[in-house]
């Protein structure tokens, strides 16, 4: 596979792994072993649609506009720097994520909650439509679509691993140290991506 695919995969994975309400919800449902497959597919397909929108739709609005490309590039870099600062702060504070262990929602209720966690979060649009779209559209055809395929593959792999592997990871991520390590890696990745954008 090409470097563009792996670049898209790594960039998307770095953004998705960041601790948030959607990940916490999928993790919780994975621990409970409730509706895991539908939730994993919903999250992955939602990301795929948003990434495609960024590359093929919203991304095209800025692709040939030098001013807008610069604006998204520097805006994306600032966002990544801030995202990294937040992750570093979480790592410094060393606060473990608490995962609720009760529930019993129907499939419809579980999907409705996941819909809210996904589409009512403004960061999902920044991550997928704006940031991944801008990064993809820095490349010519067909490399931008290969980048997008890598980004979508990362989403599917992450949510599958999170949902189905949650019951095995739960004891590990019950400790503050595990979250500190994860957030430290996320912070360094965000800063590295910001540097790449600024040097592009």
């Amino acid at each position: 596979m090409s470097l563009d695919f792996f670049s898209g995969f790594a960039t998307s994975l770095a953004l998705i792994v960041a601790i948030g309400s959607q990940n916490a919800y999928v993790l919780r449902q994975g621990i409970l072993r409730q509706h895991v497959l539908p939730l994993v597919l919903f999250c992955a397909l939602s990301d795929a649609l948003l990434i495609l929108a960024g590359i093929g739709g919203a991304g095209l609005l800025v692709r040939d506009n030098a001013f807008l490309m610069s604006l998204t590039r520097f805006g994306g870099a600032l966002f990544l720097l801030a995202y990294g600062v937040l992750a570093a702060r979480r790592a410094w504070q060393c606060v473990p994520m608490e995962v609720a262990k009760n529930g019993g929602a129907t499939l419809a209720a579980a999907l409705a909650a996941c819909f809210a966690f996904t589409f009512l979060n403004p960061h999902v649009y920044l991550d997928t439509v704006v940031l991944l779209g801008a990064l993809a559209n820095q490349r010519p055809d067909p490399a931008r679509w290969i980048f997008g395929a890598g980004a979508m593959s990362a989403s599917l792999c992450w949510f599958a691993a999170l949902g189905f592997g949650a019951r095995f990871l739960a004891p590990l991520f019950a400790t503050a140290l595990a979250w500190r390590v994860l957030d430290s890696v996320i912070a360094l990745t965000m800063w590295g991506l910001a540097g790449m954008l600024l040097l592009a």
Side-chain angles (χ1 to χ4, degrees):
M1 293 185 183
S2 73
L3 182 62
D4 292 300
F5 181 91
F6 287 111
S7 179
F9 189 96
T11 304
S12 178
L13 192 62
L15 293 170
I16 293 169
V17 169
I19 303 166
S21 58
Q22 185 189 49
N23 286 341
Y25 185 72
V26 173
L27 180 63
R28 173 183 177 274
Q29 293 301 110
I31 292 171
L32 295 172
R33 303 182 194 181
Q34 293 178 353
H35 316 303
V36 178
L37 180 59
L39 291 174
V40 167
L41 292 176
F42 177 86
C43 292
L45 288 173
S46 297
D47 276 358
L49 289 173
L50 291 168
I51 291 167
L52 287 173
I55 298 173
L60 290 176
L61 296 176
V62 299
R63 186 182 177 194
D64 296 321
N65 187 309
F67 172 74
L68 288 178
M69 282 302 294
S70 295
L71 186 64
T72 57
R73 183 160 63 97
F74 289 110
L78 288 174
F79 172 72
L80 286 171
L81 288 170
Y83 213 95
V85 169
L86 292 176
R89 188 173 66 178
R90 289 195 304 265
W92 179 261
Q93 292 173 343
C94 197
V95 179
M97 185 181 69
E98 295 181 2
V99 182
K101 295 186 179 180
N102 56 4
T106 64
L107 176 58
L111 288 174
C114 198
F115 180 92
F117 285 130
T118 302
F119 292 102
L120 297 182
N121 176 11
H123 286 126
V124 75
Y125 302 102
L126 291 172
D127 289 351
T128 55
V129 178
V130 177
L131 186 56
L132 288 175
L135 287 171
N137 286 320
Q138 300 274 344
R139 297 161 166 79
D141 284 324
R144 64 192 181 110
W145 297 106
I146 296 172
F147 179 94
M152 291 183 280
S153 298
S155 175
L156 178 60
C157 290
W158 167 251
F159 286 113
L162 185 64
F164 293 107
R167 59 185 175 184
F168 304 110
L169 295 175
L172 173 64
F173 282 95
T175 67
L177 178 60
W179 288 111
R180 169 171 279 180
V181 171
L182 180 61
D183 280 323
S184 297
V185 171
I186 290 170
L188 292 173
T189 303
M190 294 297 107
W191 292 333
L193 290 170
M196 288 171 58
L197 268 182
L198 292 173
L199 295 173

